[in-house]
Amino acid sequence: MNREIKAIIFDLDGVLCFTDKYHYQAWKALADELGIYFDEKINNRLRGVSRKDSLEIILERSDKQYTQEEKEQFTEKKNALYRQLLHDMSPKDASEEVRRTLLELKQRGYKLAIGSSSKNTQFIINQIDIASYFDAVADGNDITYSKPDPEVFLKAAAKLGISPEQCAVVEDADAGIKAAKAGDMLAFALGGDAQYSDIKDVELTDFADLLNYL
C-alpha cells in the first residue's frame, strides 16, 4: 500500500456496531408526526450524514417551510427518541469478531480511534462496552462539517497525534470513503454503499479481514 500506517480510524454505525434500525425508527416516528413520507430507501441516504443534514433530506418531501428554531426542535426530538431506543443496546451488540480484531490491532501497536458524525458515539460505545479499545474519539460534538468533509477524521488523527497520511479509515458509507480520501487517508470499504466506491483503496470481506492488510 506504499505508506506506513500507524493508526486506524473507524466509523461507528455499520462498522463497529449497527444502530441503523434505531435511527430509522426515530426518524420514522418524527416524519409520521409531521405527515411526511419516509421509508428505508430514504433512510439509506442518511448514512454517515449529520443529524441536521438528515433532517433536511427528510424535509425535502414536505410542502411546508420550517423555521430554524422548529428544525432544532425536530432534531432534538429525534435524538431523544433515538437515545431512548439506544438504551436497549448492550455488549452483545459488538461482535466477538470486532472485539478480537480490535485487540489484535492494539497488540500490533496501532493507535485506534473512532470518527463518527454521531453525537451519541460515547454513549453507544459505553453501552456496548468497547470504549477501552480506543485511544481517541472524534464525533458529531467535535465538528462543524459532516462527511464527505474530512473534518471528523482529521480531528481523530489530531487527537491521536498521528499525521493523516499515516492513518487508515474503515467505512461502510460512500460519504465516509470520500471523507477519508479528502483527508489523505487510506480508505477501507466494509459493506454498505462504500463497497461500490470507485476511490476506495481496499474492499474488506468482513471486519477481521482488516488484519490481512495491516
Side-chain angles (χ1 to χ4, degrees):
M1 289 181 282
N2 300 322
R3 60 165 83 190
E4 181 187 10
I5 299 300
K6 293 185 176 180
I8 305 103
I9 304 170
F10 298 88
D11 177 43
L12 180 63
D13 295 349
V15 173
L16 296 170
C17 65
F18 295 88
T19 62
D20 281 4
K21 64 180 178 181
Y22 303 121
H23 279 296
Y24 176 69
Q25 289 168 16
W27 282 125
K28 183 77 167 74
L30 177 67
D32 287 350
E33 184 178 315
L34 296 174
I36 299 171
Y37 179 78
F38 184 70
D39 60 18
E40 292 189 16
K41 184 176 180 180
I42 299 169
N43 189 62
N44 287 338
R45 292 177 59 197
L46 313 186
R47 295 167 68 89
V49 176
S50 71
R51 196 182 309 156
K52 178 182 175 183
D53 292 339
S54 292
L55 177 65
E56 293 298 336
I57 290 171
I58 291 169
L59 294 182
E60 287 173 359
R61 289 178 173 266
S62 175
D63 54 6
K64 296 181 182 178
Q65 296 296 317
Y66 296 99
T67 66
Q68 196 57 42
E69 184 179 358
E70 286 176 316
K71 290 178 181 180
E72 288 173 6
Q73 290 173 353
F74 295 157
T75 55
E76 286 171 11
K77 185 164 193 173
K78 182 268 175 180
N79 193 47
L81 290 167
Y82 177 60
R83 283 183 67 90
Q84 272 186 322
L85 294 166
L86 289 182
H87 279 90
D88 291 336
M89 296 191 80
S90 70
K92 64 179 171 50
D93 286 295
S95 70
E96 282 305 309
E97 178 187 11
V98 166
R99 294 180 192 279
R100 286 196 305 269
T101 303
L102 293 175
L103 181 60
E104 175 64 23
L105 289 169
K106 287 189 74 68
Q107 289 174 342
R108 293 185 186 185
Y110 291 102
K111 293 286 188 182
L112 306 183
I114 293 175
S116 170
S117 298
S118 172
K119 292 186 176 182
N120 296 295
T121 297
Q122 196 65 55
F123 179 81
I124 293 169
I125 63 176
N126 288 337
Q127 283 289 104
I128 65 178
D129 193 26
I130 62 170
S132 61
Y133 293 102
F134 298 97
D135 302 289
V137 173
D139 64 14
N141 297 296
D142 300 312
I143 60 173
T144 303
Y145 306 104
S146 60
K147 304 167 189 173
D149 190 283
E151 183 181 13
V152 73
F153 293 144
L154 294 175
K155 289 267 175 119
K159 289 186 177 189
L160 291 173
I162 305 292
S163 63
E165 62 269 19
Q166 293 180 310
C167 294
V169 167
V170 183
E171 263 284 355
D172 73 317
D174 181 59
I177 295 293
K178 289 175 179 173
K181 298 304 293 181
D184 194 27
M185 300 179 184
L186 198 67
F188 287 90
L190 178 63
D193 59 6
Q195 65 187 314
Y196 303 111
S197 168
D198 293 330
I199 59 172
K200 66 180 181 289
D201 292 297
V202 179
E203 183 175 343
L204 303 175
T205 55
D206 53 46
F207 193 86
D209 194 28
L210 189 59
L211 297 173
N212 296 323
Y213 296 95
L214 295 168

